[in-house]
Structures are given as structure tokens and as C-alpha cells.
């Protein structure tokens, strides 16, 4: 049975959504496709290479614009790009874990170059632009990872002792009982505003 790299990645992402990263293996991907595991090695060298391809696929599903719209400030474009990435990393189970530590594939290099070009045009050096991209990327991944980890444990009942102590701490109690952030995006926006503001300040 002939299979393609695209079919392998599609099956792997489907298995990721079903069982999470810990349950994903090349053997299970092969079984999903009805082939033997060695067949996959014609298309992917190992699990890490497969994860890189999966990361590329999940990011591409929520691709931000390559450059600011006419008249759009670079910082607004960068913030919107970060929001799109955050949604990509929370759209699939354990997506942040898959993307963390991945190496760019050849297909993603042009997109990275276009992002750096926008920042260089805004006054960053290429090295500063890459640092900005890395810094934002690390924040987005961390925020997505924390959101998914918290969402995975919402079914667990709260500790009665913690609730009792919480009721005795007025500021913490007020914050805990008035905040609603079902998707994690409100919290994400607070950190994003701080990071974008810091980057803007370096160019003023």
C-alpha cells in the first residue's frame, strides 16, 4: 500500500488529538494507516522528524498574514500574528508540546524570512528581529501549554482546605471569583501587551 508524507502527518495529528503526545508512536501511526512501521521510514526518519512535520502542519492551519496590511503598524501585525499562533497551539491536544523544540523544515524558512524582513524594516537588526520572534514564540508556547494543562484538570474537585484559605484572603478571593477566561485568551492578552509594548519601546 502506497502512502505519502502528507497522509502520515494527517494520521499523526488525528492520533494526537485522540490520545495526546504520550500515546503517539510511529507504530501507532503505521497501524492507523494499515502499513508496517518500517514503511514510514521512507518518509520520516524518526519520531522527532515527524513531530517537526506535525508542528508545521498545525501552524499552517492558522497561518497569520505574511506582512502588515497597508497602513497597519508593525506592532499590531505582530500582536495579531501572536494571537493566531496561540489559537493554533490550543486547537490541538498537546500541540504546544509538539511545537516546543521543533526545528524549522525547509518549507517554513521563507515564512520566517518574511517575518524577519518586516521587523528589520521597522528598525530591528536581523539578530534583534530573531530574538523578538523567539521571545514571542516562547511566550505563546508557554501560555498555550499552561492553558491546556489547566483545562485537562478542570474535572478534579478543588481542595476544600485551599477553598477555605482562599476565602480568608480578600484580594486573591476577589480575583479568583470574578475572573472568567474560558479560552485563556484574556490572560494571554495581558502578557502579549507587555511584550509588544516592550518591543515598541526599543524602537522609540
Amino acid at each position: 500500500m502506497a502512502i505519502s508524507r502528507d497522509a502520515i502527518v494527517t494520521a499523526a495529528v488525528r492520533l494526537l488529538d485522540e490520545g495526546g503526545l504520550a500515546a503517539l508512536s510511529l507504530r501507532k501511526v503505521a497501524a492507523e494507516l494499515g502499513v508496517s512501521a518500517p514503511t514510514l521510514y521512507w518518509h520520516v526518519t524518526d519520531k522527532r522528524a515527524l513531530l517537526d512535520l506535525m508542528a508545521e502542519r498545525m501552524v499552517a492551519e492558522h497561518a497569520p498574514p505574511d506582512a502588515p496590511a497597508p497602513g497597519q503598524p508593525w506592532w499590531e501585525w505582530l500582536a495579531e500574528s501572536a494571537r493566531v499562533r496561540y489559537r493554533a497551539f490550543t486547537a490541538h491536544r498537546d500541540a504546544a508540546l509538539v511545537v516546543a523544540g521543533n526545528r524549522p523544515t525547509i518549507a517554513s524558512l521563507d515564512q520566517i524570512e518574511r517575518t524577519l524582513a518586516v521587523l528589520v524594516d521597522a528598525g530591528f537588526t536581523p539578530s534583534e528581529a530573531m530574538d523578538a520572534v523567539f521571545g514571542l514564540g516562547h511566550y505563546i508556547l508557554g501560555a498555550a501549554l499552561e492553558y491546556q494543562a489547566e483545562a485537562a484538570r478542570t474535572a478534579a474537585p478543588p481542595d476544600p482546605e485551599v477553598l477555605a484559605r482562599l476565602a480568608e484572603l480578600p484580594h486573591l478571593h476577589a480575583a479568583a471569583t470574578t475572573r472568567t477566561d474560558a479560552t485563556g485568551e484574556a490572560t494571554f492578552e495581558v502578557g502579549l501587551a507587555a511584550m509588544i509594548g516592550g518591543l515598541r519601546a526599543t524602537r522609540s
Side-chain angles (χ1 to χ4, degrees):
M1 175 183 177
I3 59 171
S4 65
R5 175 179 289 183
D6 186 64
I8 293 170
V9 174
T10 298
V13 172
R14 183 166 60 250
L15 289 173
L16 179 74
D17 285 333
E18 292 174 359
L21 181 58
L24 181 67
S25 68
L26 289 175
R27 179 181 58 80
K28 288 185 178 180
V29 174
E32 179 78 3
L33 293 168
V35 299
S36 62
T39 303
L40 301 187
Y41 292 108
W42 288 98
H43 303 278
V44 293
T45 55
D46 53 30
K47 184 177 178 180
R48 182 64 260 182
L50 175 60
L51 294 180
D52 289 344
L53 292 169
M54 292 169 64
E56 180 182 279
R57 166 74 66 82
M58 291 185 287
V59 169
E61 289 176 356
H62 300 261
D66 287 344
Q72 183 183 29
W74 65 265
W75 57 87
E76 290 184 3
W77 164 78
L78 192 61
E80 183 54 35
S81 296
R83 294 183 188 104
V84 172
R85 296 293 190 211
Y86 177 78
R87 292 170 194 138
F89 298 159
T90 55
H92 292 280
R93 183 175 179 178
D94 288 346
L97 291 174
V98 173
V99 174
N102 82 297
R103 298 293 175 84
T105 63
I106 191 170
S108 66
L109 294 180
D110 287 348
Q111 172 63 50
I112 297 171
E113 174 68 14
R114 288 190 291 269
T115 298
L116 295 180
V118 172
L119 296 178
V120 169
D121 287 346
F124 293 84
T125 67
S127 179
E128 290 170 339
M130 183 61 82
D131 285 342
V133 169
F134 278 152
L136 272 173
H138 294 168
Y139 170 65
I140 297 165
L141 280 172
L145 180 61
E146 179 64 26
Y147 164 69
Q148 290 192 324
E150 181 62 26
R153 60 177 295 172
T154 52
D159 186 327
E161 292 186 4
V162 172
L163 290 178
R165 180 56 180 152
L166 182 66
E168 299 170 352
L169 304 171
H171 300 306
L172 188 55
H173 182 264
T177 55
T178 57
R179 291 184 74 252
T180 56
D181 188 12
T183 64
E185 291 198 16
T187 302
F188 174 75
E189 285 292 333
V190 174
L192 179 61
M195 295 197 73
I196 295 296
L199 290 172
R200 287 186 66 187
T202 66
R203 304 274 68 85
S204 61

